[in-house]
Amino acid sequence: MIKDEKFEVTIDSPTNYDRQDKYGSDESNRAPSRTSARWPASIDERKLVRKIDWSIIPILMAAYFLQFLDKVIYNYASVMGMPKELGMKGNDFSWGATAFFLAYTFSELPQAALIQKYRVTKVLGGNIFCWGIVLCCTAAVKTSHQMIAVRALLGCFEAVITPALMFVLSGPERWISKSVLTKPRMITSAWYQRNEAAPRFGLWYCGLGLGQIIGGAISFGAQHGKNSFQGWRLMFLIVGVFNCIVAAIIYFWLAGTPEEATFLSSIEKEAIAQRLHDDHSGLGAKKLRVRSIFETFLDSQTWLLCLLTILNVIPSGVITTYSAILIKNMVNGDSKKAALLNMPSGIFSIVALIFSTYTVRKGYQRWFAIILAVIPTLIGACLMSFLPKSNKAGLLIGIYLVNFAVAPYAIVLSAAGANFRGYTRKVAGGSIIAAAFSIANIIGPQTFQAKDAPNYYPAKITLVASTSCSILVALALRLLYGYRNARAERLGEPAMSHLEAKAIRERMSVDFADPGYRYEY
């Protein structure tokens, strides 16, 4: 704890950042050479972390809430007359959802390049403003092809959300206070220690559940409009305007790094730097390295995280896009009841996220928390798939339980933030996982084919199969991390993949200088 005493803070001198040693330099997490700076340690660490939480987490939650709300209102619009109004036929509605995530996937790398070149808060705020404008324009579309086009455009802008929020919480670059260094580097820094990140990922990801709840309320209210402007169009317009307002708050107020934070004193900024240093937080220079990209692509950790993402996001993607339709079929086509009955899905999502991330925070391993969240999802998928149509209460409970599928993805993001070390790996790993998220959301809607209506049994069986397989992948990821940590203990070196170790031995890499580093699982 940083309190009730004076202590010495030691920071790299600028001239020592580029020096190599046995394990490398710059993007590594090696113990730095030290110069000392002293300050009164009257800072309560717990209060400092709470101050950071209240200053940035609500804004991050609002950003993710708005990004998810867009998908939710597309779901609700499907039962508010939008398909009929736009002349949608066959699988046009599914292609609207698919077009969004195709564009989302192809926009990951360009958005990562923008985050590298410019301040993350400016890139995030600018993109939110742009997709707010596109949502407003969605209220004016006249055909199904126009709707598919604007959904694709939305995907381009919304691709920024996951890497941007990951970098704000577990940022890619070392930062040092101006009071310590006379010439600070470019900064996009971390705020939290690795064991603190999982609950924060869960908190901002709770914006997903809020989107489900508030989206249902907006849908219900819009359906009671008495003017000629269709309710679903009004819904898109309202949400679009709100996006633009929040975008301005993020652009002008949110601090992407402690160095930029006006709510922190210079002593508090130095305390944060010391906390991250003590945690081996792994923040490197903001520079893309081709070799590190190559190593990330060939790392089995990357692909297990991607596979786990796909298997868990398919169920949540299905529920996000089609839950309103499934519930409407259960209530004899009453779209108002469907909007209200879908709102508890958000409560289940929030409970799942808080429970899972709290489990990690209390010291349980991530793979165990993932499996705990997958079990209710599997039960819900089985209820949806195998109960008779007459058991409406059981089917509805099944839909609610499937919303537990959102929790594992938040834990995957926290694992990626903790275990991809250095700026290049965070960019590459985060982009690959975000692409896997997109792929899962492309697969999910396409399992709902018009020919399978109204029961959609192939889609429901897909939910059961993907959820079951995710348990095996979570176990495999735990075994991989355990094996690498055990090997590192035996050899007295940092935990890393075989490819990374080979590159270091051959002097082809400049990473991993901290022998005490171990994977968080």
Side-chain angles (χ1 to χ4, degrees), residues 271-443:
I272 295 172
Q274 182 66 24
R275 295 179 76 247
L276 299 179
H277 169 76
D278 293 342
D279 188 50
H280 312 293
S281 293
L283 308 178
K286 189 174 181 181
K287 181 179 180 181
L288 286 174
R289 302 180 186 278
V290 175
R291 177 76 194 188
S292 294
I293 294 174
F294 178 72
E295 291 167 356
T296 304
F297 269 91
L298 294 183
D299 190 349
S300 52
Q301 169 197 200
T302 303
W303 298 107
L304 284 175
L305 287 171
C306 286
L307 184 56
L308 190 58
T309 296
I310 291 172
L311 292 173
N312 280 292
V313 172
I314 285 176
S316 66
V318 167
I319 291 300
T320 298
T321 306
Y322 279 96
S323 58
I325 293 176
L326 294 173
I327 294 175
K328 183 179 178 182
N329 291 335
M330 292 164 45
V331 294
N332 302 318
D334 190 328
S335 60
K336 295 183 179 67
K337 284 185 180 180
L340 292 176
L341 289 175
N342 202 25
M343 290 172 64
S345 294
I347 298 174
F348 277 76
S349 296
I350 292 172
V351 169
L353 287 163
I354 292 176
F355 173 75
S356 297
T357 53
Y358 179 77
T359 300
V360 174
R361 179 60 176 154
K362 296 303 290 184
Y364 292 94
Q365 296 178 350
R366 286 179 171 88
W367 68 273
F368 180 70
I370 289 173
I371 292 176
L372 285 181
V374 166
I375 290 173
T377 306
L378 181 58
I379 294 172
C382 290
L383 291 176
M384 285 177 57
S385 303
F386 306 123
L387 282 180
K389 292 173 60 176
S390 58
N391 192 343
K392 294 182 179 180
L395 293 171
L396 188 60
I397 291 173
I399 291 174
Y400 293 156
L401 287 176
V402 170
N403 284 276
F404 271 77
V406 304
Y409 183 56
I411 300 175
V412 166
L413 292 178
S414 72
N419 294 325
F420 284 119
R421 302 185 66 198
Y423 178 71
T424 301
R425 289 186 178 85
K426 286 185 185 294
V427 170
S431 296
I432 295 170
I433 291 172
F437 173 84
S438 304
I439 291 169
N441 279 286
I442 291 170
I443 295 171

Side-chain angles (χ1 to χ4, degrees), residues 257-274:
T257 163
E259 185 65 30
E260 300 168 359
T262 58
F263 61 87
L264 293 175
S265 67
S266 60
I267 294 178
E268 289 172 328
K269 293 174 183 179
E270 291 169 346
I272 295 172
Q274 182 66 24

